[in-house]
Amino acid sequence: MGDLYALDFDGVLCDSCGESSLSAVKAAKVRWPSLFNGVDSSLEDWIVDQMHIVRPVVETGYENVLLVRLLLETKIPSIRKSSAAEGLTVEGILENWSKIKPVIMAEWDENRDELIDLFGKVRDEWMDNDLATWIGANRFYPGVPDALKFASSKLYIVTTKQSRFADALLRELAGVTIPPERIYGLGTGPKVKVLKQLQDMPEHQGLSLHFVEDRLATLKNVIKESELNKWNLYLGDWGYNTQKEREEAASISRIQLLQLSNFSRKLK
């Protein structure tokens, strides 16, 4: 009957960490300009380097902006507004982000929707002013563009990224056109809900269902939903996850650990 693949975007198809980290620094400067007084380029470079390490905790893009400020507060005690920043290490962020995030949101009096809008606006401005460098700060994982182009399976993108950015990268960087109705981006609801919609579509009855994700927490949410028992679940080991998460995934019978070379072969 054939196969349907629901694919996460960041960390499965595209390594966007360079772009999202730079965009987050730009957004943080707009949001909290006074905090960046006297922050030189070497400290900014340090922040971007650390962002690559803590990237596995990010579920939705705006969290990158929070991480930039948190990293800055760990480095400069005089600007510290959050109790969470003192003595915090990147390991601490990786372990405890879900507990830290609500604390800093409250202590900084921040608003999720405003941060999402700001992060999107900063990216839009960068794209409008200099599309080539915005595109160039992203990269598709090796073999992925061809795998998408020549896939025999039915493909859907299920991402917390805003759809317009995923679409631009697929077209401009991978040379792939995926119809807009097959891209479920930020605002289309939780991934669990999107997978339910996909499996219920009349044209998908009888297809084998596959979901490839790089966030273990997202796969665990799928496992909790008995309605989604038909989905084959894969954790992409090349994406934004930690060794500890990969080991945990290997111990969960429902999740298959997937390597990049096997992923590209599966789509074909």
Side-chain angles (χ1 to χ4, degrees):
M1 285 296 293
D3 296 277
L4 180 155
Y5 276 85
L7 305 172
D8 179 32
F9 188 82
D10 296 307
V12 169
L13 305 180
C14 183
D15 178 7
S16 57
C17 192
E19 180 275 321
S20 59
S21 301
L22 292 168
S23 290
V25 170
K26 290 173 191 272
K29 286 177 170 175
V30 173
R31 190 74 171 168
W32 310 293
S34 62
L35 297 189
F36 284 85
N37 290 343
V39 171
D40 58 12
S41 61
S42 67
L43 184 49
E44 274 186 34
D45 291 345
W46 176 83
I47 290 172
V48 170
D49 285 344
Q50 302 302 302
M51 290 291 287
H52 282 80
I53 302 169
V54 297
R55 179 60 181 79
V57 302
V58 173
E59 182 178 15
T60 305
Y62 80 94
E63 293 173 61
N64 287 294
V65 188
L66 297 173
L67 285 164
V68 165
R69 175 167 174 181
L70 184 60
L71 287 164
L72 193 60
E73 287 200 7
T74 65
K75 205 75 173 158
I76 307 175
S78 61
I79 61 162
R80 204 171 279 162
K81 285 272 194 312
S82 170
S83 57
E86 191 172 347
L88 188 63
T89 61
V90 288
E91 293 76 24
I93 294 173
L94 285 169
E95 287 286 316
N96 300 308
W97 178 240
S98 60
K99 297 186 189 80
I100 293 169
K101 191 175 74 168
V103 172
I104 59 179
M105 288 286 281
E107 289 180 334
W108 298 340
D109 195 22
E110 272 309 327
N111 177 294
R112 180 182 187 268
D113 291 339
E114 286 175 19
L115 287 171
I116 287 173
D117 288 346
L118 170 66
F119 196 50
K121 203 169 108 207
V122 164
R123 286 175 142 166
D124 283 332
E125 283 173 7
W126 187 359
M127 284 171 80
D128 291 345
N129 296 333
D130 189 356
L131 184 63
T133 65
W134 183 81
I135 295 283
N138 295 273
R139 69 177 186 102
F140 278 85
Y141 293 103
V144 164
D146 280 350
L148 294 174
K149 273 177 210 158
F150 303 118
S152 55
S153 311
K154 195 164 187 185
L155 304 182
Y156 285 83
I157 308 293
V158 182
T159 176
T160 54
K161 200 183 196 72
Q162 286 162 316
S163 298
R164 63 186 185 275
F165 301 128
D167 177 57
L169 289 166
L170 285 162
R171 281 184 293 111
E172 301 282 343
L173 193 55
V176 177
T177 304
I178 290 186
E181 65 275 13
R182 291 208 192 172
I183 300 178
Y184 287 80
L186 186 66
T188 52
K191 292 187 181 186
V192 163
K193 181 180 147 215
V194 173
L195 296 181
K196 282 180 185 166
Q197 282 175 273
L198 292 177
Q199 76 177 19
D200 289 344
M201 288 178 184
E203 65 270 31
H204 296 156
Q205 301 314 303
L207 293 180
S208 293
L209 304 173
H210 309 271
F211 177 42
V212 185
E213 173 61 72
D214 71 316
R215 263 188 102 246
L216 178 60
T218 304
L219 293 175
K220 286 161 94 171
N221 284 339
V222 174
I223 292 171
K224 283 180 199 150
E225 302 283 333
S226 58
E227 281 176 74
L228 299 175
N229 280 345
K230 290 187 203 134
W231 287 86
N232 296 289
L233 304 179
Y234 307 89
L235 184 76
D237 75 355
W238 63 92
Y240 307 129
N241 43 58
T242 63
Q243 181 61 35
K244 192 176 166 194
E245 288 168 330
R246 292 188 285 277
E247 286 166 7
E248 185 184 343
S251 74
I252 299 172
S253 59
R254 185 83 191 278
I255 298 174
Q256 299 175 57
L257 265 182
L258 191 59
Q259 291 176 317
L260 186 54
S261 54
N262 293 344
F263 171 61
S264 294
R265 279 204 294 275
K266 270 185 178 299
L267 293 189
K268 289 172 181 164

